[in-house]
Amino acid sequence: MTSVDELMDYAEVIERFDPVLGLEVHVELHTNTKMFCGCANLFGGEPNTHVCPTCLGMPGSLPVVNGKAVESAIRIGLALNCEIAEWCRFARKNYFYPDMPKNFQTSQYDEPIAFNGWLDVVLDDGEVVRVDIERAHMEEDTGKSLHVGGATGRIHGAEHSLLDYNRAGVPLIEIVTKPITGTGERAPEVARAYVSALRDLLKALDVSDVRMDQGSLRCDANVSLMAKDASEFGTRTETKNVNSLRSVERAVRFEMTRQAAVLAAGGSITQETRHFDESTGGTSSGRTKETAEDYRYFPEPDLVPIAPSREWVEELRGTLPELPWELRRRVQQEWGLTDAELRDLVNTGALDLVAATVAAGATPVEARSWWVSYLPQQANNRGVELVGLAITPAQVARVVALVNSGELTNKLAREVVNAVLDGEGEPEAVVEARGLKVVSDDSALEKAVDEALAAQPDVAAKIRDGKVAAAGAIVGAVMKATKGQADAKRVRELVIARCS
């Protein structure tokens, strides 16, 4: 048996094996309250402050289904091209774990609310892969264990553990794919692209903030390998709670190379959960993976079945927004983008921001000039993602409007944007507070031009001799004197006129 650290070269893995993926994505809904009680559904907070007898599983407490969560589940199912059940119910998934205060999780087992769907995923080179969806079902999240005293924050080596039940009972939708086959060497890329596409879809639906860094979207990556001549799937492992797009790709790739090394050495794969290590890009063994029978599912006796009417389902279908792939097709045509330009906007996370800026009044070219060049630099300098910058598309559009009206130069516009990013207020307030409006009064500009010409008589003489290129030095002096608030084009016109 090879060690878990022994890996096979990736090219050899692809030559000898076919990967099979199964991706389970857990999505925390951003409803106001939890799934089965009235506790606030908020991220963070002091430990054990968003709890009540129901989400703590106290005797005598009874759950009530969150109607908004059901609505969100149906909308997600519709967007994923799923069938919506006419009748479904909750079940108890029984297992003991410290962060499960009831010793069971209220979930859906054999009767999910949405099933049999698909999602088309576009890879970086434009290839489209259809991922079939097995089900999207409702359940509740668990609490959180905090392991204290160890070096890694994990249970191994910790002195003791603390439990925070604030997250227990938060509404979850679990989206489970059917086995994904035939992807070959692109399997890790397909996994990343699928989770990315799903994240974009859920964000467009406005059912979750999809913050992978905060755990509101988490991926469990199931991986197995089949020998080229095999007719049955291999034994799978499940890498739990992978919380970034890059990590999804790395985890799948690592498991493929690890499993291949084990199989090539004559060993067998253990069906187990595994943990992903961000620092090494590897996985480590967790616990032996249970089967459905181990959980002793049975119908939840305290909740009535859910039977969404066809009229309600169709009403919810009508609330679906323009979905990400529809937006991309439309803007590519309207903005005249090449496939490569569109992919760049998508891959950098700028497409929705540009679209929103255009909707707020900017042209596509103006919006792209900010979100593709200057603002990504600021995001990098501030150590945040582009969407995390403290400026909205509407504010960017207002800065563009100030430039177009002649009230700001491009240089001053960047100063205004930086001030907005630093929390100094709305663009107009920044302009007013800092006195940044372009100087458009000709008398003030003429005075500044005269002073600059007097200070540089040799340059003035060259301009009078017909060497108009020398006017740039005078324009620069005026711009410096006015702290960049003069209209450079108008200053140049005045300089030429003065020297005629």
Side-chain angles (χ1 to χ4, degrees):
M1 183 69 148
T2 59
S3 73
V4 294
D5 294 322
E6 189 171 341
L7 307 176
M8 180 182 287
D9 179 75
Y10 192 71
E12 185 179 355
V13 176
I14 300 305
E15 182 180 341
R16 299 179 59 173
F17 298 96
D18 289 322
V20 179
L21 305 180
L23 301 172
E24 303 170 14
V25 175
H26 295 80
V27 185
E28 286 186 352
L29 304 177
H30 59 30
T31 53
N32 291 329
T33 57
K34 291 185 179 182
M35 188 69 203
F36 301 114
C37 67
C39 290
N41 178 16
L42 297 172
F43 176 78
E46 289 297 315
N48 299 308
T49 54
H50 305 152
V51 294
C52 71
T54 299
C55 57
L56 290 176
M58 296 296 184
S61 61
L62 291 173
V64 177
V65 174
N66 185 321
K68 185 66 176 179
V70 176
E71 176 183 306
S72 296
I74 294 173
R75 295 178 72 240
I76 291 170
L78 292 172
L80 289 172
N81 305 290
C82 289
E83 300 177 48
I84 304 301
E86 295 188 11
W87 188 94
C88 64
R89 57 183 173 178
F90 287 97
R92 291 189 180 185
K93 181 180 182 182
N94 296 274
Y95 65 98
F96 172 78
Y97 204 73
D99 60 14
M100 287 286 295
K102 300 183 294 187
N103 286 342
F104 64 85
Q105 180 186 32
T106 305
S107 180
Q108 291 187 308
Y109 174 45
D110 55 348
E111 298 164 311
I113 193 166
F115 56 94
N116 196 28
W118 50 268
L119 177 64
D120 281 341
V121 174
V122 182
L123 305 185
D124 289 343
D125 63 356
E127 180 182 345
V128 177
V129 176
R130 175 158 293 187
V131 175
D132 291 321
I133 306 296
E134 176 71 34
R135 56 193 282 146
H137 66 259
M138 299 179 288
E139 60 185 23
E140 60 182 335
D141 212 343
T142 61
K144 187 174 182 180
S145 298
L146 306 173
H147 307 297
V148 181
T152 64
R154 295 189 178 277
I155 193 169
H156 302 294
E159 295 176 356
H160 62 277
S161 297
L162 300 175
L163 296 170
D164 179 6
Y165 290 120
N166 280 347
R167 197 176 66 182
V170 165
L172 274 184
I173 302 298
E174 181 176 352
I175 302 166
V176 182
T177 69
K178 294 181 179 179
I180 305 170
T181 60
T183 56
E185 66 179 350
R186 306 195 75 173
E189 182 186 354
V190 169
R192 172 181 56 79
Y194 166 75
V195 178
S196 177
L198 192 57
R199 183 182 67 169
D200 291 346
L201 171 62
L202 296 165
K203 184 177 180 182
L205 291 172
D206 192 27
V207 294
S208 171
D209 62 15
V210 292
R211 288 283 301 271
M212 296 188 78
D213 59 317
Q214 293 183 356
S216 55
L217 189 148
R218 313 187 291 272
C219 177
D220 296 344
N222 293 269
V223 179
S224 66
L225 296 177
M226 297 173 62
K228 290 291 185 179
D229 58 352
S231 58
E232 296 183 359
F233 294 160
T235 302
R236 64 184 173 88
T237 63
E238 181 181 11
T239 303
K240 300 286 288 184
N241 295 328
V242 188
N243 62 0
S244 78
L245 298 178
R246 179 170 177 263
S247 295
V248 169
E249 184 170 5
R250 294 171 74 201
V252 169
R253 187 182 181 97
F254 181 88
E255 269 302 287
M256 289 172 62
T257 57
R258 184 193 70 83
Q259 291 184 24
V262 172
L263 294 172
S268 59
I269 303 301
T270 301
Q271 182 169 314
E272 62 181 354
T273 62
R274 297 184 67 84
H275 302 295
F276 180 73
D277 188 328
E278 294 277 356
S279 62
T280 66
T283 67
S284 58
S285 181
R287 56 181 171 81
T288 302
K289 181 64 178 174
E290 297 88 350
T291 63
E293 290 75 15
D294 294 322
Y295 290 119
R296 305 187 328 279
Y297 283 99
F298 64 85
E300 169 57 69
D302 292 334
L303 291 170
V304 298
I306 295 172
S309 69
R310 296 304 89 183
E311 292 78 13
W312 186 39
V313 171
E314 291 309 309
E315 180 183 331
L316 291 176
R317 192 189 301 276
T319 70
L320 296 183
E322 183 178 37
L323 298 178
W325 43 90
E326 297 168 342
L327 169 65
R328 290 165 193 169
R329 283 196 298 267
R330 176 175 63 80
V331 300
Q332 182 173 19
Q333 182 177 18
E334 291 180 358
W335 302 351
L337 301 177
T338 65
D339 290 344
E341 288 171 334
L342 179 63
R343 282 199 298 273
D344 286 344
L345 285 176
V346 172
N347 293 339
T348 58
L351 179 61
D352 290 343
L353 297 167
V354 172
T357 306
V358 171
T363 68
V365 172
E366 291 166 339
R368 286 173 61 200
S369 71
W370 282 102
W371 290 109
V372 174
S373 56
Y374 188 73
L375 287 170
Q377 295 173 13
Q378 297 306 306
N380 184 61
N381 293 341
R382 296 162 189 265
V384 299
E385 293 187 11
L386 192 60
V387 295
L389 282 174
I391 190 167
T392 67
Q395 289 171 326
V396 173
R398 294 212 298 277
V399 172
V400 169
L402 291 171
V403 173
N404 290 339
S405 69
E407 295 181 61
L408 291 179
T409 64
N410 288 328
K411 181 180 179 181
L412 291 174
R414 288 192 288 272
E415 185 176 340
V416 172
V417 166
N418 289 340
V420 174
L421 291 172
D422 290 335
E424 294 184 25
E426 296 297 322
E428 296 83 356
V430 170
V431 171
E432 185 68 26
R434 293 195 175 196
L436 296 179
K437 277 190 179 180
V438 168
V439 178
S440 56
D441 179 5
D442 271 4
S443 61
L445 292 179
E446 288 170 352
K447 179 181 179 182
V449 167
D450 289 341
E451 290 174 353
L453 289 170
Q456 301 185 63
D458 53 334
V459 176
K462 290 180 181 178
I463 299 171
R464 293 189 182 99
D465 289 340
K467 298 177 181 178
V468 295
I474 303 300
V475 173
V478 172
M479 296 302 292
K480 183 177 181 180
T482 59
K483 298 179 181 179
Q485 292 175 239
D487 181 340
K489 181 180 179 181
R490 181 57 182 156
V491 171
R492 182 179 178 82
E493 291 173 352
L494 292 174
V495 170
I496 301 299
R498 277 288 198 263
C499 295
S500 298

